[in-house]
Protein backbone atom coordinates (compact mmCIF):
# COMPACT_ATOMS: atom_id res chain seq x y z
CA UNK A 1 0.00 0.00 0.00
CA UNK A 2 1.31 3.44 -0.87
CA UNK A 3 0.65 6.07 1.79
CA UNK A 4 0.11 9.69 0.84
CA UNK A 5 3.34 10.77 2.49
CA UNK A 6 5.21 7.96 0.74
CA UNK A 7 3.79 9.11 -2.57
CA UNK A 8 4.81 12.70 -1.90
CA UNK A 9 8.31 11.60 -0.92
CA UNK A 10 8.45 9.45 -4.04
CA UNK A 11 7.51 12.40 -6.20
CA UNK A 12 10.12 14.50 -4.43
CA UNK A 13 12.73 11.97 -5.46
CA UNK A 14 13.37 10.45 -2.03
CA UNK A 15 12.82 6.79 -1.46
CA UNK A 16 10.38 6.11 1.37
CA UNK A 17 11.79 3.37 3.53
CA UNK A 18 10.41 1.39 6.44
CA UNK A 19 11.35 3.00 9.77
CA UNK A 20 14.33 1.85 11.78
CA UNK A 21 13.81 0.12 15.11
CA UNK A 22 14.32 2.71 17.88
CA UNK A 23 17.37 2.15 20.07
CA UNK A 24 15.10 1.93 23.13
CA UNK A 25 13.73 -1.35 21.68
CA UNK A 26 17.06 -2.98 20.76
CA UNK A 27 17.78 -6.44 22.08
CA UNK A 28 21.12 -6.89 23.89
CA UNK A 29 22.51 -8.46 20.70
CA UNK A 30 21.38 -5.53 18.56
CA UNK A 31 22.94 -3.11 21.05
CA UNK A 32 26.24 -5.02 20.89
CA UNK A 33 26.03 -4.86 17.09
CA UNK A 34 25.61 -1.09 17.26
CA UNK A 35 28.92 -0.89 19.14
CA UNK A 36 30.61 -2.97 16.44
CA UNK A 37 29.06 -0.70 13.80
CA UNK A 38 30.34 2.44 15.53
CA UNK A 39 33.84 0.98 15.69
CA UNK A 40 34.06 -0.56 12.22
CA UNK A 41 31.50 0.95 9.85
CA UNK A 42 30.31 4.38 11.00
CA UNK A 43 33.26 6.31 9.55
CA UNK A 44 32.08 5.32 6.07
CA UNK A 45 28.35 4.65 6.36
CA UNK A 46 25.48 6.66 7.86
CA UNK A 47 23.03 4.30 9.59
CA UNK A 48 20.01 6.62 9.50
CA UNK A 49 19.86 7.65 5.85
CA UNK A 50 20.73 6.28 2.42
CA UNK A 51 22.82 9.36 1.66
CA UNK A 52 26.46 8.43 1.01
CA UNK A 53 29.40 9.21 3.29
CA UNK A 54 32.37 7.20 1.95
CA UNK A 55 29.99 4.37 1.11
CA UNK A 56 26.21 4.29 0.71
CA UNK A 57 24.01 5.08 3.72
CA UNK A 58 22.71 1.86 5.20
CA UNK A 59 19.24 2.75 6.42
CA UNK A 60 16.89 -0.17 5.62
CA UNK A 61 19.78 -2.03 3.96
CA UNK A 62 18.30 -5.43 4.92
CA UNK A 63 14.76 -4.42 3.87
CA UNK A 64 15.45 -3.37 0.29
CA UNK A 65 15.21 -5.78 -2.64
CA UNK A 66 18.69 -4.94 -3.85
CA UNK A 67 21.71 -3.23 -2.32
CA UNK A 68 23.47 -0.50 -4.37
CA UNK A 69 25.50 -3.21 -6.12
CA UNK A 70 22.30 -4.97 -7.15
CA UNK A 71 22.94 -7.91 -4.81
CA UNK A 72 20.11 -8.97 -2.49
CA UNK A 73 20.79 -8.10 1.19
CA UNK A 74 20.93 -11.67 2.48
CA UNK A 75 23.06 -12.56 5.50
CA UNK A 76 25.39 -14.43 3.13
CA UNK A 77 25.91 -11.42 0.87
CA UNK A 78 26.30 -9.01 3.77
CA UNK A 79 28.79 -11.34 5.42
CA UNK A 80 30.81 -11.59 2.21
CA UNK A 81 30.87 -7.80 1.74
CA UNK A 82 31.82 -7.19 5.38
CA UNK A 83 34.52 -9.87 5.68
CA UNK A 84 35.98 -9.57 2.16
CA UNK A 85 35.29 -5.94 1.24
CA UNK A 86 34.14 -4.70 -2.14
CA UNK A 87 35.84 -2.25 -4.52
CA UNK A 88 36.71 0.79 -2.32
CA UNK A 89 35.33 -0.88 0.82
CA UNK A 90 38.08 -2.60 2.83
CA UNK A 91 37.64 -6.04 4.38
CA UNK A 92 36.74 -5.93 8.09
CA UNK A 93 38.10 -8.53 10.53
CA UNK A 94 35.38 -9.69 12.93
CA UNK A 95 34.98 -12.79 15.04
CA UNK A 96 31.79 -14.77 14.64
CA UNK A 97 30.07 -13.20 17.66
CA UNK A 98 30.83 -9.69 16.41
CA UNK A 99 29.56 -10.63 12.94
CA UNK A 100 26.28 -12.07 14.25
CA UNK A 101 25.75 -9.03 16.50
CA UNK A 102 26.47 -6.67 13.59
CA UNK A 103 24.04 -8.51 11.28
CA UNK A 104 21.36 -8.27 13.98
CA UNK A 105 21.99 -4.52 14.24
CA UNK A 106 21.89 -4.05 10.46
CA UNK A 107 18.43 -5.65 10.46
CA UNK A 108 17.19 -2.87 12.79
CA UNK A 109 18.20 -0.09 10.39
C1 LIG B 1 36.72 2.82 4.52
C2 LIG B 1 35.28 2.99 4.27
C3 LIG B 1 34.35 1.81 4.56
C4 LIG B 1 34.22 1.07 5.72
C5 LIG B 1 35.06 1.16 7.00
C6 LIG B 1 33.09 0.20 5.52
N1 LIG B 1 32.57 0.39 4.27
FE1 LIG B 1 30.93 -0.54 3.50
N2 LIG B 1 31.24 0.38 1.71
C7 LIG B 1 32.21 1.33 1.46
C8 LIG B 1 32.17 1.68 0.05
C9 LIG B 1 33.07 2.69 -0.65
C10 LIG B 1 31.12 0.93 -0.52
C11 LIG B 1 30.68 0.87 -2.00
C12 LIG B 1 31.40 -0.35 -2.59
C13 LIG B 1 31.05 -0.56 -4.05
O1 LIG B 1 31.73 -0.02 -4.92
O2 LIG B 1 30.08 -1.30 -4.32
C14 LIG B 1 30.55 0.13 0.56
C15 LIG B 1 29.48 -0.72 0.41
C16 LIG B 1 28.81 -1.35 1.46
C17 LIG B 1 27.57 -2.06 1.35
C18 LIG B 1 26.73 -2.24 0.08
C19 LIG B 1 27.20 -3.47 -0.63
C20 LIG B 1 26.47 -3.69 -1.94
O3 LIG B 1 26.40 -4.85 -2.35
O4 LIG B 1 26.00 -2.73 -2.55
C21 LIG B 1 27.27 -2.53 2.59
C22 LIG B 1 26.06 -3.36 2.99
C23 LIG B 1 28.34 -2.12 3.46
N3 LIG B 1 29.26 -1.40 2.74
C24 LIG B 1 28.38 -2.41 4.81
C25 LIG B 1 29.46 -2.10 5.63
C26 LIG B 1 29.55 -2.52 7.01
C27 LIG B 1 28.48 -3.30 7.75
C28 LIG B 1 30.75 -2.06 7.47
C29 LIG B 1 31.37 -2.29 8.83
C30 LIG B 1 31.77 -3.67 9.09
C31 LIG B 1 31.39 -1.33 6.38
N4 LIG B 1 30.58 -1.39 5.28
C32 LIG B 1 32.61 -0.68 6.47
C33 LIG B 1 33.10 1.85 2.37
C34 LIG B 1 33.32 1.35 3.64
Amino acid sequence: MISVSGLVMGLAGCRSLPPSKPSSEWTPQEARGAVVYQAKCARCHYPTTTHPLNGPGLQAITKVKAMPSGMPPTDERLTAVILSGRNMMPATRLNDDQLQDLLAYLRTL
Side-chain angles (χ1 to χ4, degrees):
M1 195 183 95
I2 299 176
S3 69
V4 172
S5 68
L7 191 62
V8 170
M9 284 173 68
L11 292 173
C14 297
R15 287 190 293 152
S16 73
L17 294 167
S20 303
K21 187 175 179 181
S23 56
S24 58
E25 293 174 17
W26 287 345
T27 65
Q29 183 180 42
E30 289 162 356
R32 290 195 303 272
V35 175
V36 176
Y37 185 92
Q38 285 304 319
K40 307 285 189 183
C41 320
R43 68 193 163 98
C44 294
H45 295 284
Y46 292 123
T48 53
T49 166
T50 57
H51 292 290
L53 185 55
N54 286 317
L58 299 185
Q59 190 201 350
I61 191 68
T62 63
K63 299 164 191 165
V64 295
K65 281 207 183 68
M67 297 193 286
S69 64
M71 297 192 301
T74 59
D75 283 1
E76 291 70 28
R77 290 293 196 177
L78 286 165
T79 298
V81 170
I82 292 165
L83 297 184
S84 306
R86 185 185 150 77
N87 298 329
M88 294 301 291
M89 174 169 157
T92 303
R93 290 179 66 97
L94 296 175
N95 67 34
D96 200 51
D97 285 343
Q98 291 173 314
L99 176 65
Q100 295 309 319
D101 293 350
L102 179 60
L103 289 173
Y105 170 71
L106 293 177
R107 286 190 285 266
T108 72
L109 296 182

